[in-house]
Amino acid sequence: MPAKWLKDTVFYEIYPQSFKDTNGDGIGDLNGIIEKLDYVKSLGCNALWINPCYDSPFKDAGYDVRDYRKVAPRYGTNEDLYRLFDEAHKKGIRVLLDLVPGHTSEEHPWFRQSQRAEPNAYSNRYIWTSHWWLGCKDMPYIGGESERAATYILNFFKCQPALNYGFLNVEQPWQLPVDHPDAIATREAMKDVMRFWLSHGCDGFRVDMANSLVKYDDANKSATSAIWRNVREMLDAEFPDAALVAEWSAPKQALRAGYDADFCLNNPDTGYATLMRDYEGEGPDNSFFRKDAPARDINRFLRVYLDWYADTKDLGYISLITCNHDTVRPRYGLDYDELKLAYAFLFTMPGVPFLYYGDEIGMRYQQLPSKEGGYFRTGSRTPMQWASSKNLGFSDGDAKNLYLPVDPAADAPTVAAQQADPDSLLSTVRALLKLRHSEEALQADAPFEVVSAEAGEPFVYRRGHLLLAVNPSGEARTVEVPVAGRMPLFSIGAGKITGGNALKLGPQSFVVLK
Ligand code: NOJ
């Protein structure tokens, strides 16, 4: 069963580099997050996911961990992070850290030991093939970089050697079975990392590439899932309130492996791109929420989502996201009015939603050169825009030293400007999250049912006793649904109950009827 507190949780994802700089060095820090906890709370978010903030050479923005137990000096100290947990808890905010179990940095001491010619306790901590010419099926590998006469497998970038959790079917002399003591030692080491942060007050983890532990021959991810179930047993015994959110995007597997929630990510299989925008901008933009979408169809998303939902609703949650640090921002494809409708949908669906910092004000995706392994993702990682002051309120430092430049546009959205406007995207997000917290029927585990989902038409759905409808089109639409006896509870734009059997939805509108 998922952690109870998730039922009424809305996460706020913070990319720590870019949230709030309090010491003027141009990079965000933990004190900056502490300073802005009241802001997070004012949004209606009651939990954080912080991207990796551990010691790292930052060749992949911190997903290349050099020391799992040490806060990166650029963000502060371990004591700052413990204080962040405390301060957040005082305000009713939980904190998930990012666990990176599939690989370390090539500068991690485990890997340095593993590279040595003489056998040692870490020789098998990573996947080494015994021949210099031999890779591992389609896994990328590196050779020629160590005194050990072998090549090693990568999990992602060149800087990220894959940790060794063993192989399901051992075919080569260099492969360890999953129950080999050295494969088990990797799992146990990761459990110790989790214990370390949980015992200092963190509330759980978003788990990076959670499906990546056992390589290529792990049919249906059975061996990887077994490792996570073992981890879950430890959590149940030692930290029963801890939550695990998977980066897996296959909730049927992830939730059975002991995860509380799994992300629905923006890849071509999930149909998610058809909600917020097309994947990497390919092809005509048919996001369901585009006013002028030439082929609007919620079924492109529902086809995958409903199958997942039916299979997993009793096990845990699916997490819908506004976007994340790996995707383009939704503002790239949607204007403010379209974003309001997209968020209205997202924050009234089942599961545990995630809001990426800055999406609440519609921060733009920027075209920027790659920073810290960001590639196209860099454009979604720019500094938070707090006010129209210096560096848009992100930092007092010199503009040329900022981690990334702030949005240069004269009309760059800011929190200060939108705060003052009851019609702004920010005010709409606040109103939506307030509604979600006040209506149990809108929370993670309340029932969900599709009422009407015809191509080109509004989407009508039920959450418990509430009836919801969204019409992204620029034209009014009437949907034949029984609405007799219902009253409007919340709306964006205009919706009108006509007779007992029809709902007239104004252009670009959203309504909740009770
Ligand atoms: C997924 C993370 O979200 C991404 O930012 C990172 O580059 C890769 N995993 C590798 O850790």
Side-chain angles (χ1 to χ4, degrees):
M1 285 318 280
K4 284 202 183 59
W5 58 269
L6 287 173
K7 175 184 162 63
D8 185 24
T9 292
V10 179
F11 278 94
Y12 191 71
E13 179 193 345
I14 293 180
Y15 185 74
Q17 288 90 322
S18 294
F19 195 54
K20 175 71 189 171
D21 170 24
T22 57
N23 62 1
D25 65 356
I27 194 147
D29 44 52
L30 295 175
N31 283 330
I33 300 178
I34 295 173
E35 197 178 285
K36 293 295 184 185
L37 287 171
D38 282 331
Y39 169 74
V40 170
K41 182 134 199 194
S42 79
L43 292 173
C45 291
N46 50 6
L48 300 178
W49 157 29
I50 305 175
N51 293 116
C53 54
Y54 320 109
D55 181 49
S56 165
F58 291 102
K59 290 183 181 170
D60 184 14
Y63 283 95
D64 46 331
V65 180
R66 186 165 49 198
D67 185 343
Y68 284 106
R69 291 177 169 77
K70 184 181 168 202
V71 165
R74 71 187 198 176
Y75 300 132
T77 62
N78 280 30
E79 280 60 40
D80 293 332
L81 186 50
Y82 307 154
R83 199 160 56 83
L84 192 164
F85 297 148
D86 274 358
E87 295 300 318
H89 291 161
K90 280 187 208 153
K91 296 177 196 295
I93 298 173
R94 311 260 183 167
V95 184
L96 294 193
L97 294 181
D98 209 316
L99 183 76
V100 189
H103 52 265
T104 65
S105 157
E106 62 198 341
E107 294 183 21
H108 195 291
W110 294 344
F111 187 64
R112 292 299 183 219
Q113 285 295 318
S114 201
Q115 283 183 298
R116 299 173 77 117
E118 67 279 12
N120 61 68
Y122 297 95
S123 298
N124 281 333
R125 180 58 53 97
Y126 297 81
I127 306 173
W128 293 86
T129 69
S130 45
H131 308 289
W132 67 271
W133 70 88
L134 187 71
C136 171
K137 296 203 173 160
D138 57 353
M139 294 297 295
Y141 66 96
I142 298 282
E145 293 233 334
S146 46
E147 60 177 50
R148 180 169 177 175
T151 60
Y152 57 92
I153 302 300
L154 300 175
N155 212 31
F156 197 65
F157 288 153
K158 181 259 168 193
C159 61
Q160 292 158 321
L163 284 161
N164 193 356
Y165 291 88
F167 286 80
L168 185 59
N169 302 308
V170 172
E171 295 164 355
Q172 302 289 339
W174 47 267
Q175 293 179 321
L176 303 183
V178 283
D179 57 357
H180 187 282
D182 291 345
I184 288 176
T186 308
R187 181 192 76 197
E188 293 304 309
M190 214 42 70
K191 277 155 81 174
D192 283 344
V193 169
M194 298 172 87
R195 286 187 179 101
F196 178 82
W197 291 110
L198 290 166
S199 62
H200 280 103
C202 111
D203 297 288
F205 301 91
R206 173 271 186 183
V207 179
D208 186 68
M209 297 174 70
N211 58 349
S212 78
L213 304 188
V214 175
K215 304 307 180 206
Y216 71 79
D217 60 351
D218 186 9
N220 301 318
K221 298 286 168 191
S222 63
T224 295
S225 298
I227 294 171
W228 288 119
R229 274 194 294 274
N230 176 280
V231 170
R232 173 51 77 185
E233 275 172 32
M234 178 280 280
L235 293 177
D236 285 347
E238 299 174 34
F239 302 95
D241 248 8
L244 285 185
V245 183
E247 186 198 31
W248 195 314
S249 220
K252 292 181 181 190
Q253 289 174 349
L255 301 190
R256 289 194 169 79
Y259 276 85
D260 300 72
D262 184 19
F263 289 111
C264 177
L265 292 175
N266 196 353
N267 65 49
D269 303 329
T270 61
Y272 195 65
T274 63
L275 290 183
M276 308 309 282
R277 56 154 294 105
D278 264 349
Y279 185 65
E280 291 193 50
E282 306 286 339
D285 196 336
N286 273 322
S287 158
F288 179 74
F289 298 102
R290 286 277 292 241
K291 181 166 108 183
D292 56 359
R296 182 194 322 290
D297 189 358
I298 192 76
N299 293 297
R300 296 194 298 161
F301 162 72
L302 289 179
R303 263 194 286 278
V304 178
Y305 181 82
L306 289 179
D307 174 47
W308 285 359
Y309 177 73
D311 187 73
T312 59
K313 64 182 171 23
D314 300 325
L315 301 172
Y317 303 126
I318 297 168
S319 282
L320 301 183
I321 61 175
T322 58
C323 86
N324 72 19
H325 64 290
D326 292 334
T327 71
V328 292
R329 285 191 180 270
R331 175 77 190 276
Y332 188 61
L334 304 176
D335 67 21
Y336 284 126
D337 288 331
E338 292 162 344
L339 284 172
K340 285 181 187 172
L341 300 181
Y343 295 172
F345 164 82
L346 206 98
F347 294 135
T348 54
M349 286 289 283
V352 187
F354 280 68
L355 171 64
Y356 183 55
Y357 84 97
D359 281 349
E360 70 274 29
I361 54 171
M363 271 173 61
R364 294 186 175 90
Y365 174 74
Q366 306 290 331
Q367 299 291 344
L368 289 169
S370 180
K371 168 100 176 181
E372 296 188 346
Y375 289 76
F376 77 93
R377 309 173 294 180
T378 307
S380 296
R381 299 175 174 186
T382 58
M384 178 67 180
Q385 298 160 197
W386 296 103
S388 58
S389 50
K390 183 178 177 187
N391 298 323
L392 298 183
F394 163 66
S395 166
D396 287 338
D398 199 323
K400 68 176 189 316
N401 295 332
L402 296 191
Y403 174 74
L404 285 170
V406 297
D407 182 351
D411 65 347
T414 65
V415 171
Q418 293 199 15
Q419 204 129 253
D421 173 4
D423 266 346
S424 66
L425 185 61
L426 175 65
S427 299
T428 303
V429 166
R430 286 184 166 144
L432 282 163
L433 295 186
K434 193 167 167 202
L435 175 73
R436 184 174 172 108
H437 294 305
S438 65
E439 289 290 334
E440 228 184 306
L442 295 179
Q443 294 168 8
D445 57 350
F448 162 71
E449 203 189 334
V450 173
V451 175
S452 176
E454 276 175 51
E457 293 301 316
F459 177 48
V460 186
Y461 51 112
R462 229 188 302 272
R463 294 295 318 276
H465 66 289
L466 301 176
L467 187 75
L468 300 93
V470 56
N471 174 29
S473 151
E475 288 147 28
R477 292 286 159 92
T478 301
V479 211
E480 307 287 326
V481 283
V483 282
R486 289 199 178 264
M487 299 286 291
L489 175 66
F490 182 93
S491 63
I492 295 171
K496 198 166 148 238
I497 294 168
T498 54
N501 284 315
L503 180 60
K504 186 164 182 196
L505 293 161
Q508 293 195 290
S509 64
F510 168 80
V511 289
V512 182
L513 305 177
K514 62 176 179 196

